[in-house]
Amino acid sequence: MKLLLVAEYKSKKFLESNYELIAFADKLKADYVMFGVGDETDLPKCEGKIYLADSEKAGEYNPSLHKKLIAEVMEKEKADFIVLPHTSYGWDLAPRLSAELAFPQVTEVVDVDDDNFILPACNGKLWRKVSTGGKGIITIQGGAFNPENDYEGTPEVINLEVPSVESKIQFEGYEKAEAVGVDLTKAEIIVSAGRGVGKKENVENVRKLAEALGGELGASRPVVDSEWVEHSHQVGTTGQTVAPKLYVACGISGAIQHLAGMKKSDFILAVNTDKDAPIAEVADVLVVADVNQFAPALAEKISSK
């Protein structure tokens, strides 16, 4: 199997998340080449080839031009799959490539099982397996394929000629969303409530623990969907991506979308009745307990000092 990995370049640098594309290729035990728009002084560290288009000529994003350049690389490399990050860049470019190359498209892949791709359905409540018959355009969910080690090496650069392409769409740049509610990205301590708290009233147990620790209240998506906590507190791929010094996950099982938003925390304490919950795989300490008993007891202990 051969993959064409489409690296994302933003704010004049290749993103660290591009290593997740390589980790995806490693998981499939697939050969790969890369495509990127950028600068030779800031290439991802890896072995193999990277087809590079000058960012000054190709722009950080130009839908018609990037599609054309990738299609040209595909003509040379005959890859089985094109793999993009599941970001706004990948969301926009993947369907254009799918239509251009007549390849099936699978989005938000979080795992692989033999020849099947696994992706969430029904807001992450279910999983489904999809097979494309050996060809396709794939976008992978952020955080789903983490590099196990730091990559080394310098890729062989193949510079691409950048043609002039007329496009009806003009990319104006990225605009940062206006911050509303609490800004969890700056919090050093976050205590998050998950579905395991049981009901809306029990969120107060988590909120009081957050106050005792001098931190902010976070929440998983099911808690926000149930309207127990406002969306501005949501952590995960559809909420805020955080990296506090301490992250306390209270009654959170650890769906991949949530893990992607908090696993860069320095220290993770998880409280869950299920010792085999996925959150245990990223937690530094797992407390197997009912969060509605543990959180008030810990908050009281801290406040009494």
Side-chain angles (χ1 to χ4, degrees):
M1 181 184 295
K2 187 174 184 179
L3 309 181
L4 171 56
L5 310 180
V6 180
E8 186 167 4
Y9 185 79
K10 192 173 181 181
S11 300
K12 298 184 177 181
K13 65 178 182 181
F14 283 100
L15 303 187
E16 282 292 314
S17 56
N18 291 320
Y19 291 109
E20 297 182 19
L21 301 175
I22 301 175
F24 176 77
D26 289 344
K27 180 147 189 173
L28 290 175
K29 296 181 172 57
D31 296 327
Y32 67 85
V33 296
M34 297 188 87
F35 164 84
V37 172
D39 188 280
E40 276 196 50
T41 61
D42 181 40
L43 295 175
K45 293 179 180 178
C46 64
E47 304 292 344
K49 294 185 291 188
I50 181 168
Y51 288 84
L52 188 68
D54 184 272
S55 60
E56 293 297 324
K57 297 177 180 177
E60 288 197 358
Y61 189 43
N62 182 323
S64 299
L65 179 54
H66 287 206
K67 179 186 69 176
K68 180 177 178 62
L69 290 169
I70 294 170
E72 288 178 1
V73 176
M74 277 293 285
E75 182 66 26
K76 295 176 182 175
E77 293 292 340
K78 311 293 185 188
D80 301 297
F81 291 93
I82 300 175
V83 187
L84 304 99
H86 191 68
T87 60
S88 55
Y89 179 72
W91 297 338
D92 193 83
L93 190 52
R96 298 176 190 278
L97 289 166
S98 178
E100 177 74 13
L101 301 172
F103 270 28
Q105 179 188 341
V106 182
T107 60
E108 203 179 356
V109 172
V110 299
D111 205 351
V112 292
D113 180 15
D114 293 329
D115 293 330
N116 299 307
F117 298 106
I118 299 175
L119 50 150
C122 300
N123 290 330
K125 296 179 176 62
L126 299 174
W127 303 103
R128 58 177 170 168
K129 292 183 179 180
V130 175
S131 174
T132 63
K135 300 282 185 181
I137 312 290
I138 304 293
T139 68
I140 62 169
Q141 177 63 271
F145 300 92
N146 282 318
E148 295 184 357
N149 300 298
D150 292 336
Y151 288 104
E152 299 293 340
T154 302
E156 174 192 355
V157 176
I158 301 172
N159 290 302
L160 294 169
E161 292 291 330
V162 179
S164 176
V165 174
E166 290 188 9
S167 175
K168 295 181 180 178
I169 300 174
Q170 185 68 38
F171 178 66
E172 297 289 344
Y174 293 96
E175 183 175 346
K176 190 174 182 179
E178 182 180 355
V180 294
V182 61
D183 184 3
L184 296 178
T185 62
K186 297 179 180 177
E188 295 191 345
I189 298 174
I190 298 174
V191 185
S192 285
R195 185 160 41 193
V197 300
K199 57 183 179 181
K200 183 176 182 178
E201 289 75 10
N202 291 341
V203 173
E204 279 307 298
N205 293 328
V206 180
R207 190 189 304 277
K208 288 178 180 177
L209 178 57
E211 291 173 356
L213 288 168
E216 299 283 357
L217 175 68
S220 65
R221 180 169 180 169
V223 169
V224 173
D225 286 348
S226 299
E227 299 183 350
W228 297 352
V229 174
E230 294 178 353
H231 179 265
S232 61
H233 293 264
Q234 184 175 324
V235 174
T237 54
T238 53
Q240 299 186 55
T241 299
V242 301
K245 292 181 179 178
L246 172 63
Y247 189 86
V248 184
C250 297
I252 294 174
S253 62
I256 188 69
Q257 294 90 343
H258 188 82
L259 298 183
M262 49 65 73
K263 65 183 178 183
K264 292 184 179 178
S265 305
D266 288 345
F267 192 91
I268 299 171
L269 169 65
V271 185
N272 204 295
T273 55
D274 181 5
K275 67 179 179 60
D276 296 320
I279 192 74
E281 296 180 7
V282 301
D284 295 285
V285 173
L286 172 67
V287 177
V288 181
D290 184 335
V291 66
N292 294 315
Q293 296 177 358
F294 180 82
L298 181 57
E300 183 179 353
K301 188 72 174 179
I302 295 170
S303 299
S304 65
K305 291 186 177 180

